[in-house]
Amino acid sequence: MGTDFDYSPWDFWSVASEEEQDRQHAVRGELNARPGHDVADGCFVSEKASVHNDELVLGPRTYVAAGVYTTGSVRAGRDCSINVYTVVRGRVEIGDAVRIGAHTSLLGFNHVMADPDVEVFRQPLTSKGIRIGDDVWIGSHVVVLDGVTVGDKAVLAAGAVVTRDVPSGAVVGGNPARVLKWRVPREQPGPARGGPAAFADAVRADAVPVLDRCFDGEFFVDRPGAARTIRAQCDAVEIADLLLGTAPPQLPADLQRHRLRDWQDPETGLIGTLGPDGTQTTAGPGFTDPDAGYHVLAVGYALDLLGSALPHRIRLLEADLPAELTALPWGDRAWHAGHWVDILGTALHRNGDGAEELFGWLLLNADPATGMWGAPSLPDGRLQIVNGFYRASRGTFAQFGIPLPYPERVIDTVLAHARDPRVIRPDRQNACNILDIAHPLWLTRHTGYRAAEAEALAATLLNDAVKHRVPGQGFGFHPSRTPPGLQGTEMWLATIWLLADLTGTADDLGYRPRGVHRPEPAPPRPARGMTIGAPVSGSGSTRHGSS
């Protein structure tokens, strides 16, 4: 066989001699005789390539040049080219029309190195696999590591070291690879046309219609037909502040301020729920009422935005705080435990109290391996600890402006969690789960650790998030399952800002959260006397979307 074809086989079937073509037919026949091999008609596989696969599937008109080394399970679609001296090993799936430059390595496996007392080559291998989409151009000397997915129409620049997923339509380069620009503008984070600025213009134009839709003439409701809730009043205030810079125009601002202030119990400082007729129920003792607990956050921040404040001190604990914190269900319900830490931290901040005991416990009990509290569970993976971390850190380290104990481990944990399709697949996303990824990455961005990976993830999630909007109605909390409402709209708008800031496009939005989901620490508050009240460990709360 001619050496020119071995190294440049692209014109083989149009210019090669009959003898050369017969020889290539024989090569294809020899390969297809092996178990798990299916090389389509019209392919070319150089006899100078080292093909040692358990499974090899090549679609029509796919070319494998000289010096290529393949092992494991390799599946490629039609019209692909694998240039000279490329290595494709492990479990690798390649779409249609993919061009791979010379001296590139796609390594769909990895070595375990968990035990430092055992030589690496004696430890087992793992394989998550590599997935390459359609119409992807991979330059020369690129390295793609195990577990990476490359979206359709992406470009991997020459010399890139790709350690995490590449969004569809992105051009990435560097070590580690990061998004340099966009080959396909419609895939760029933000709406299909105009980017974040156009998205912000659209949601700002929708602000009054969204609020009108959720106003029953006297109170705000989360969505038409829903019951009246105190949270809905607060979400309306947050949305109006974000998009209009004013109080919701459906009611006089003074009325909204007085209503929120009057709902606080002067004895306990807590805020009970609303009954069906709009009358208020009394909050349970301490923080045993989950809605009343979240009202510490929602009402307090809504009053901030309305230029006011809670009139009364919030009663907290007279029990042993470290013991109460230890008793929270960190082992199997870390979100639940983080929920109460968020409330405790916020109440301490609102009261102007010191939080030394709370921070002392959190610092001593953070897991150095994950940077978080609690442990992953088999049913949920890392969901509980990541979501619990957001709540616990929001009300403490973020709200008080105190550095986290293990920020790099937090990034590792969040990025690992973000590979779980149960959480990030667009049709399974909900506002809590994506916010609880975005905020920890934003809070730790100053480290620069794995910044390119965090930015690429943020770009992908941002592109998904803006598509959840329903014009004229806002966002559903779980867009594929729940109709648009105030809670979903407020949370998604805040999440979109965090993701946009991670990608460097937040200024184009023209808004910045100032309420519950504000990025900056809350301003210091004057002390308001001693803290008294009941312990928190008796709470029977379960998670219902209060991130």
Side-chain angles (χ1 to χ4, degrees):
M1 184 179 294
T3 57
D4 287 346
F5 292 129
D6 283 316
Y7 294 91
S8 298
W10 330 126
D11 298 325
F12 176 82
W13 294 106
S14 60
V15 301
S17 69
E18 183 176 345
E19 180 182 354
E20 288 169 327
Q21 292 190 20
D22 286 345
R23 179 60 193 153
Q24 187 56 218
H25 284 306
V27 170
R28 174 173 169 264
E30 292 169 6
L31 289 172
N32 284 339
R34 302 178 187 177
H37 286 52
D38 184 4
V39 178
D41 193 20
C43 287
F44 177 95
V45 179
S46 172
E47 290 182 85
K48 295 183 178 180
S50 296
V51 179
H52 302 286
N53 295 89
D54 301 317
E55 178 184 35
L56 177 68
V57 176
L58 303 179
R61 300 175 302 281
T62 286
Y63 295 82
V64 178
V68 170
Y69 177 39
T70 65
T71 67
S73 172
V74 175
R75 303 176 65 90
R78 62 165 178 82
D79 298 303
C80 295
S81 62
I82 304 176
N83 260 292
V84 293
Y85 305 114
T86 287
V87 175
V88 185
R89 302 190 64 195
R91 184 159 54 88
V92 180
E93 298 178 11
I94 301 170
D96 295 332
V98 174
R99 319 305 276 184
I100 303 174
H103 298 277
T104 282
S105 295
L106 309 182
L107 304 175
F109 71 99
N110 209 343
H111 286 277
V112 172
M113 52 182 179
D115 189 344
D117 296 324
V118 176
E119 294 164 320
V120 169
F121 83 94
R122 298 184 188 279
Q123 298 190 51
L125 298 177
T126 61
S127 179
K128 299 176 182 176
I130 292 171
R131 288 161 290 280
I132 310 293
D134 298 333
D135 188 21
V136 172
W137 178 18
I138 302 176
S140 296
H141 295 278
V142 170
V143 177
V144 180
L145 298 185
D146 187 36
V148 166
T149 295
V150 177
D152 297 342
K153 298 185 179 298
V155 177
L156 313 187
V161 178
V162 184
T163 59
R164 74 148 299 112
D165 294 353
V166 176
S168 297
V171 179
V172 304
N175 180 8
R178 62 183 181 85
V179 176
L180 302 176
K181 58 182 179 179
W182 294 86
R183 176 189 172 202
V184 185
R186 70 173 177 272
E187 299 292 350
Q188 185 170 350
R193 292 178 295 276
F199 166 79
D201 288 344
V203 294
R204 195 170 288 110
D206 271 353
V208 172
V210 165
L211 293 169
D212 280 342
R213 174 177 177 267
C214 298
F215 185 63
D216 68 7
E218 185 179 3
F219 289 88
F220 290 100
V221 293
D222 182 66
R223 55 185 182 268
R228 295 171 172 178
T229 64
I230 288 174
R231 176 165 184 163
Q233 319 314 305
C234 302
D235 287 334
V237 170
E238 297 242 13
I239 293 167
D241 183 80
L242 270 181
L243 302 179
L244 303 174
T246 66
Q250 288 76 11
L251 289 170
D254 281 347
L255 173 59
Q256 296 180 66
R257 277 192 291 269
H258 290 310
R259 178 182 280 173
L260 291 174
R261 285 171 59 88
D262 289 348
W263 278 332
Q264 188 184 27
D265 186 323
E267 294 299 319
T268 66
L270 299 177
I271 301 162
T273 58
L274 294 182
D277 60 353
T279 59
Q280 191 183 16
T281 61
T282 302
F287 288 141
T288 58
D289 183 330
D291 290 320
Y294 194 75
H295 294 160
V296 170
L297 279 64
V299 176
Y301 275 102
L303 284 168
D304 288 345
L305 299 178
L306 293 171
S308 186
L310 290 169
H312 307 295
R313 179 177 181 77
I314 303 162
R315 296 179 61 173
L316 291 177
L317 298 171
E318 56 189 8
D320 181 348
L321 179 57
E324 291 293 332
L325 292 168
T326 301
L328 291 171
W330 298 104
D332 59 351
R333 290 189 294 156
W335 179 89
H336 170 93
H339 168 78
W340 292 113
V341 169
D342 192 359
I343 295 164
L344 286 167
T346 301
L348 288 167
H349 194 277
R350 291 268 161 202
N351 290 344
D353 292 337
E356 292 82 1
E357 275 195 311
L358 176 56
F359 279 100
W361 189 93
L362 292 171
L363 290 167
L364 286 172
N365 288 276
D367 184 348
T370 65
M372 300 183 176
W373 301 276
S377 65
L378 288 176
D380 295 324
R382 298 175 180 86
L383 180 66
Q384 283 285 327
I385 62 167
V386 170
N387 289 2
F389 173 84
Y390 163 68
R391 288 301 305 272
S393 64
R394 192 222 71 86
T396 56
F397 294 94
Q399 188 166 223
F400 284 79
I402 294 174
L404 291 165
Y406 305 107
E408 293 186 353
R409 300 294 77 77
V410 169
I411 295 168
D412 287 337
T413 304
V414 172
L415 291 178
H417 167 63
R419 294 186 184 279
D420 190 336
R422 296 173 297 177
V423 175
I424 66 165
R425 208 174 79 179
D427 63 319
R428 296 183 180 181
Q429 292 177 6
N430 69 51
C432 270
N433 290 348
I434 304 305
L435 171 64
D436 296 356
I437 290 171
H439 188 270
L441 291 178
W442 189 90
L443 191 61
T444 56
R445 74 202 185 287
H446 64 282
T447 65
Y449 179 66
R450 301 182 70 177
E453 297 172 73
E455 181 181 344
L457 173 62
T460 299
L461 295 179
L462 178 58
N463 193 44
D464 293 339
V466 297
K467 294 174 183 175
H468 294 322
R469 170 178 165 264
V470 179
Q473 300 182 49
F475 292 79
F477 173 81
H478 194 314
S480 67
R481 298 182 186 177
T482 56
L486 296 182
Q487 179 184 353
T489 300
E490 186 276 321
M491 293 181 67
W492 280 111
L493 289 175
T495 301
I496 285 167
W497 186 92
L498 292 165
L499 294 170
D501 203 52
L502 285 166
T503 64
T505 59
D507 288 348
D508 295 335
L509 290 173
Y511 70 78
R512 186 183 186 94
R514 300 195 309 135
V516 171
H517 301 115
R518 60 181 292 142
E520 296 85 10
R525 302 178 190 275
R528 305 174 76 176
M530 294 183 62
T531 301
I532 57 173
V536 301
S537 60
S539 169
S541 165
T542 57
R543 181 165 196 191
H544 51 98
S546 297
S547 281

